[in-house]
């Protein structure tokens, strides 16, 4: 017999034909099923068969006890757009403290979102808006988010805060935060605000992939500096590539990150700092068994944390600058980081130091690491131009050059009054990083003309395995 608590969207006015605006019908159905669940305590499910469902001009306010299930990310797609309301963001589902009174006493409870795609490319806004997400729920209790493909949203793709007893599994999040200009520090692939439930929020993020998102592929951010940093969060087996940061800890307590791959991110593979809303850095975390490689600047960037933190059993290699960089950004705590543990890692092939300590440590433990063949940025200053030089969107080629492979790694090259970062080089070619995550060119003002002159700076005299430049 058909399940009376599962409702086919097609039977309730949703067309899924790529033309009809399905948002009013979806909103009406969510409210009706939410009311029914509030009445009898029995959660309901909306099943959306294969189709393209247009969600247009209004965001959908979600209700407790209502789940949304599709036929698979390649089959069921929700296309978000706002042609009739160009100032309005249109997330597929949202429920927030500011607009809807979300709180520990009024959470979104017992909802599953699974097996569908969210396409945010149709959301056209004049500037960045934090609500222009794919999913934007706050104070979620027993939430399940599985097998979702979220892409091209102006702000964060999966931007849900305060997740208690919740699981985020198997998400593919690509090119979200496309309106992030580097000032908002939002626009992530998966962004999870923390602290609303108190010092413990039990949340697991596993088997997710985040690629080419505006800031972090995955980040955790304490939302109020007066709140206690949150324990209970785990990140397992995720892949984060070509974002500004791979994974960021901006205020968690005891974040566990294991078995992840953090590669080709623009600023750092793994970041701890006070860049988040509350200007509080993470502490007490453990990063283990990860590959942190080929990031444009640093493999691991650690700043503003009071400690402790543990990095154990990771491969941290071939990053443009430092493998591990200890520092303190202005605006966050400047105290010495206590009980930092860096053990049993591999540091090799990084452009400068394997480990560079530029801010004070108290009672650190650095031992048992394999540190070799760092300081790859060995080439002296260079310049060129004329008939041997040409440019592509992401490279500079000089057939007269004889550079040592990766000898310019991590440098800024200047050409035609523009600058770009060298990700790698051969004898005659510089491979350049995109100007920002998601961009297809390294040149902000267009590819330089053939023959345009270029110059590369020199390299520091000291490029050690470990440099201790602080107390």
């Amino acid at each position: 017999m058909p399940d009376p608590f599962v409702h086919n969207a097609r039977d309730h006015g949703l067309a899924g034909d790529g033309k009809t605006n399905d948002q009013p019908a979806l909103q009406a159905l969510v409210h009706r099923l939410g009311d029914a669940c509030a009445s009898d305590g029995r959660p309901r499910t909306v099943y959306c068969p294969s189709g393209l469902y247009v969600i247009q001009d209004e965001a959908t306010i979600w209700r407790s006890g209502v789940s949304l299930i599709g036929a698979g990310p390649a089959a069921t797609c929700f296309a978000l757009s706002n042609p009739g309301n160009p100032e309005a963001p249109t997330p597929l589902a949202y429920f927030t403290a500011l607009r809807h009174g979300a709180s520990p006493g009024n959470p979104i409870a017992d909802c599953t979102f699974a097996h569908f795609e969210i396409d945010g490319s149709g959301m056209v806004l004049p500037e960045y808006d934090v609500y222009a997400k794919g999913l934007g729920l706050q104070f979620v209790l027993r939430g399940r988010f599985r097998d979702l493909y979220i892409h091209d949203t102006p702000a964060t793709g999966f931007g849900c805060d305060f997740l208690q007893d919740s699981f985020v599994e198997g998400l593919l999040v690509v090119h979200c935060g496309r309106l992030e200009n580097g000032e908002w520090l939002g626009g992530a692939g998966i962004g999870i605000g923390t602290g609303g439930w108190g010092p413990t929020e039990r949340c697991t993020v596993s088997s997710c992939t985040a690629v080419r998102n505006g800031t972090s592929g995955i980040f955790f951010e304490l939302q109020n500096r007066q709140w206690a940093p949150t324990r209970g969060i785990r990140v397992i087996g995720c892949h984060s590539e070509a974002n500004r940061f791979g994974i960021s800890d901006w205020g968690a307590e005891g974040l566990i990150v294991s078995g992840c791959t953090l590669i080709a991110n623009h600023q750092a593979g793994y970041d701890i700092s006070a860049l988040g809303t509350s200007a509080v850095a993470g502490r007490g975390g453990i990063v283990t068994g990860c590959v942190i490689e080929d990031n444009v600047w640093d493999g691991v960037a650690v700043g503003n944390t009071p400690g402790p933190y543990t990095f154990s059993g990771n491969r941290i290699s071939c990053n443009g600058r430092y493998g591990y960089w200890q520092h303190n950004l202005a605006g966050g705590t400047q105290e010495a980081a206590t009980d930092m543990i860096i053990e049993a890692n591999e540091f090799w092939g990084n452009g400068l130091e394997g480990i560079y300590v530029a801010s004070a440590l108290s009672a650190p433990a650095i031992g048992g690491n394999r540190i070799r063949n760092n300081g790859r940025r060995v080439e002296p200053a260079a310049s060129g131009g004329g008939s041997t030089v040409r440019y592509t969107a992401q490279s500079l080629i000089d057939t007269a050059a004889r550079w040592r492979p990766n000898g310019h790694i991590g440098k800024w090259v200047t050409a035609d009054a523009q600058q770009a970062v060298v990700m790698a080089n051969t004898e005659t070619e510089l491979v350049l990083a995109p100007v920002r995550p998601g961009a297809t060119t390294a040149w902000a003002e267009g590819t330089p003309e053939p023959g345009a002159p270029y110059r590369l700076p020199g390299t520091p005299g000291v490029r050690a395995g470990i440099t201790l430049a602080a107390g």
Side-chain angles (χ1 to χ4, degrees):
M1 293 180 60
D3 187 337
F5 296 97
V6 176
H7 299 262
N8 190 311
R10 297 287 179 82
D11 297 334
H12 297 272
L14 280 79
D17 59 6
K19 301 176 183 178
T20 304
N21 181 9
D22 288 318
Q23 193 280 333
L26 177 62
Q27 183 67 87
L29 181 56
V30 168
H31 279 321
R32 185 162 68 82
L33 298 184
D35 288 343
C37 180
S39 176
D40 61 18
R42 301 291 298 274
R44 270 74 170 174
T45 296
V46 177
Y47 171 67
C48 291
S50 298
L52 179 61
Y53 297 83
V54 174
I55 304 298
Q56 187 171 294
D57 295 335
E58 294 289 338
T60 307
I61 303 168
W62 214 255
R63 299 285 299 276
S64 284
V66 181
S67 295
L68 183 65
I69 308 295
T76 299
C77 178
F78 295 94
L80 313 180
S81 63
N82 59 338
N85 196 359
E87 300 290 328
T90 56
L92 173 61
Y94 80 144
F95 186 80
T96 70
L98 183 62
R99 297 192 176 187
H100 313 106
S103 70
N106 183 34
I108 283 288
D110 300 308
C111 297
T112 296
F113 295 82
H115 313 312
F116 57 80
E117 174 183 346
I118 300 174
D119 179 357
S121 62
M123 257 195 284
V124 179
L125 296 166
E127 61 182 4
Y128 185 85
D129 189 312
V130 296
Y131 289 105
K133 303 175 179 180
L135 294 173
L137 306 171
Q138 292 185 320
F139 291 99
V140 177
L141 179 62
R142 296 184 297 272
R144 302 293 187 270
F145 304 90
R146 296 192 178 108
D147 188 28
L148 304 176
Y149 172 32
I150 306 174
H151 61 96
D152 293 294
T153 55
T156 298
F158 177 89
C160 296
D161 302 333
F162 321 132
L163 306 183
Q164 189 69 285
D165 296 325
S166 295
F167 297 85
V168 181
E169 304 171 280
L171 271 59
L172 172 60
V173 190
V174 179
H175 196 213
C176 293
R178 56 182 168 80
L179 291 187
E180 166 59 45
N181 60 7
E183 298 179 2
W184 290 89
L185 292 175
I190 297 172
I192 298 176
T194 66
W197 291 97
T200 303
E201 290 177 349
R202 298 173 293 272
C203 173
T204 300
V205 179
S206 62
S207 303
C208 294
T209 297
V211 180
R212 296 190 298 115
N213 299 289
T215 53
S216 299
I218 303 170
F219 82 86
F220 303 90
E221 180 182 55
L222 184 68
Q223 296 290 287
N224 186 324
R225 67 178 299 111
Q226 306 303 318
W227 292 347
T230 298
R231 294 180 299 173
I233 300 172
R234 299 177 297 167
V235 182
I236 302 169
C238 293
H239 181 101
S240 193
E241 178 179 353
N243 313 283
R244 179 174 175 183
F245 303 102
I247 294 178
S248 297
D249 182 356
W250 294 347
E253 164 70 56
L255 175 65
I256 297 174
V257 178
S258 65
C260 294
T261 305
L262 313 176
I263 62 174
N265 297 287
H266 287 226
Q267 196 158 331
Y270 192 86
D271 180 70
I272 307 166
S273 70
L275 284 173
T277 297
S278 63
V280 173
R283 73 285 310 273
I286 299 172
V287 179
T288 184
C290 296
V291 173
I292 307 174
E293 193 165 72
D294 290 326
N295 297 288
V296 177
W297 285 11
D298 305 310
V300 175
V302 179
N304 307 117
T305 181
Y309 227 99
T310 298
F311 294 88
S312 179
N314 304 288
R315 190 175 85 197
I316 305 174
S317 57
C318 301
N319 300 290
R321 195 167 63 169
Y322 307 117
Y324 176 100
W325 179 36
Q326 185 83 37
H327 66 289
N328 281 331
L329 297 175
T333 181
Q334 302 297 306
E335 65 187 279
T338 301
D339 294 323
M340 301 298 291
I341 300 173
I342 307 170
E343 64 176 13
N345 303 285
E346 287 192 67
F347 293 95
W348 53 269
N350 297 291
L352 298 178
E353 276 82 350
I355 298 173
Y356 184 79
V357 176
S359 61
L361 300 177
S362 175
I366 304 175
N369 300 287
R370 187 171 187 235
I371 304 176
R372 61 186 175 89
N373 199 28
N374 296 288
R376 296 294 301 277
R377 193 187 295 180
V378 297
E379 278 293 296
S383 61
S387 61
T388 65
V389 175
R390 60 186 176 89
Y391 299 86
T392 72
Q394 287 186 235
S395 71
L396 183 162
I397 299 162
D398 185 351
T399 57
R402 292 297 179 266
W403 298 314
R404 277 171 283 193
N406 289 333
H408 291 301
I409 187 172
K411 290 183 180 181
W412 288 88
V413 60
T414 301
D416 200 20
Q418 300 185 69
Q419 287 192 312
V421 183
V422 179
M423 293 183 67
N425 71 268
T426 66
E427 284 192 344
T428 59
E429 181 177 6
L430 306 178
V431 179
L432 307 176
V435 67
R436 67 180 62 85
T440 58
T441 178
W443 311 103
E445 298 177 15
T447 304
E449 293 294 324
Y454 71 86
R455 65 181 185 276
L456 287 154
T459 192
V462 175
R463 302 179 304 280
I466 301 177
T467 291
L468 304 179

